[in-house]
């Protein structure tokens, strides 16, 4: 199971009109600890700029990410999984959060439903909301293993 960290990076960005503006952007990182998340985002951001500050690193409640590489935006989908308590015969809903890449709310819904196609559990979508996340960096375990060998 992945642990997803939301990191915030502050740096000087050159705008379309040529002006330089200090911006803070959010990125998701798959890591095992805060230290690893900070190191991984530093490694990724170093490709774009050398003058940056990591202003925040926090654990999120994202359980899974559906990355469709053509999607330009990231949407947070909150789904309620419905279970039945066998002793009391009462329905219980547990909220799970997913991150989906898409270009629109409709696409986010479609990608989410496609990703959930094989799920046997009953669920209902509570919300779909656009996020400020710029990109998602998953763990590259194959590359890590190759460098260790």
């Amino acid at each position: 199971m992945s642990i997803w960290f939301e990191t915030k990076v502050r740096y000087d960005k050159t705008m379309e009109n040529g002006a330089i503006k200090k911006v803070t952007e959010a990125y998701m990182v798959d890591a095992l600890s805060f230290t690893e998340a900070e190191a991984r985002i530093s490694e990724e951001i170093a490709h774009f700029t050398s003058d940056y500050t990591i202003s925040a690193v926090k654990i999120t409640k994202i359980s899974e990410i559906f990355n469709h590489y053509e999607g330009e935006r990231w949407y947070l989908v909150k789904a309620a999984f419905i279970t039945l308590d066998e002793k009391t015969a009462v329905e219980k809903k547990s909220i799970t959060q997913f991150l989906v890449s898409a270009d629109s709310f409709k696409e986010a819904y479609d990608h989410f439903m496609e990703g959930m196609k094989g799920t046997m559990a009953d669920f209902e979508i509570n919300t779909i909301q656009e996020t400020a996340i710029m990109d998602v960096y998953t763990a590259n375990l194959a590359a890590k293993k190759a460098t260790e060998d």
Side-chain angles (χ1 to χ4, degrees):
M1 183 175 149
S2 297
I3 301 173
W4 292 99
F5 290 84
E6 181 178 341
T7 60
K8 300 236 175 157
V9 179
R10 187 163 175 79
Y11 66 96
D12 291 330
K13 183 176 187 177
T14 305
M15 307 309 285
E16 290 178 7
N17 63 2
I20 295 176
K21 182 179 177 184
K22 193 153 267 307
V23 297
T24 302
E25 295 180 340
Y27 297 90
M28 294 293 288
V29 178
D30 181 12
L32 296 174
S33 67
F34 287 92
T35 305
E36 182 185 355
E38 187 173 350
R40 296 232 11 255
I41 196 62
S42 292
E43 181 182 313
E44 296 293 342
I45 293 301
H47 298 291
F48 304 112
T49 182
S50 60
D51 186 24
Y52 62 90
T53 304
I54 298 170
S55 58
V57 178
K58 69 177 184 176
I59 292 178
T60 66
K61 294 182 180 181
I62 304 293
S63 66
E64 193 168 347
I65 292 184
F66 298 129
N67 190 355
H68 296 272
Y69 294 100
E70 70 275 359
E72 290 290 320
R73 295 184 216 120
W74 290 94
Y75 292 86
L76 180 66
V77 178
K78 291 183 182 178
F81 285 89
I82 303 163
T83 56
L84 187 64
D85 186 341
E86 292 178 12
K87 293 179 182 177
T88 61
V90 174
E91 280 189 356
K92 181 183 174 191
K93 293 182 180 181
S94 59
I95 304 297
T96 305
Q97 297 182 13
F98 300 86
L99 203 58
V100 180
S101 66
D103 288 322
S104 67
F105 286 98
K106 169 121 178 49
E107 261 188 36
Y109 173 82
D110 292 341
H111 291 322
F112 175 73
M113 293 306 285
E114 180 184 322
M116 297 300 288
K117 201 180 292 182
T119 304
M120 298 296 287
D122 292 332
F123 66 91
E124 58 187 36
I125 296 174
N126 286 357
T127 61
I128 298 176
Q129 127 188 25
E130 187 175 349
T131 68
I133 294 169
M134 299 300 289
D135 209 350
V136 172
Y137 298 106
T138 58
N140 188 355
L141 300 177
K144 189 178 248 186
K145 183 166 176 33
T147 58
E148 291 174 356
D149 290 340

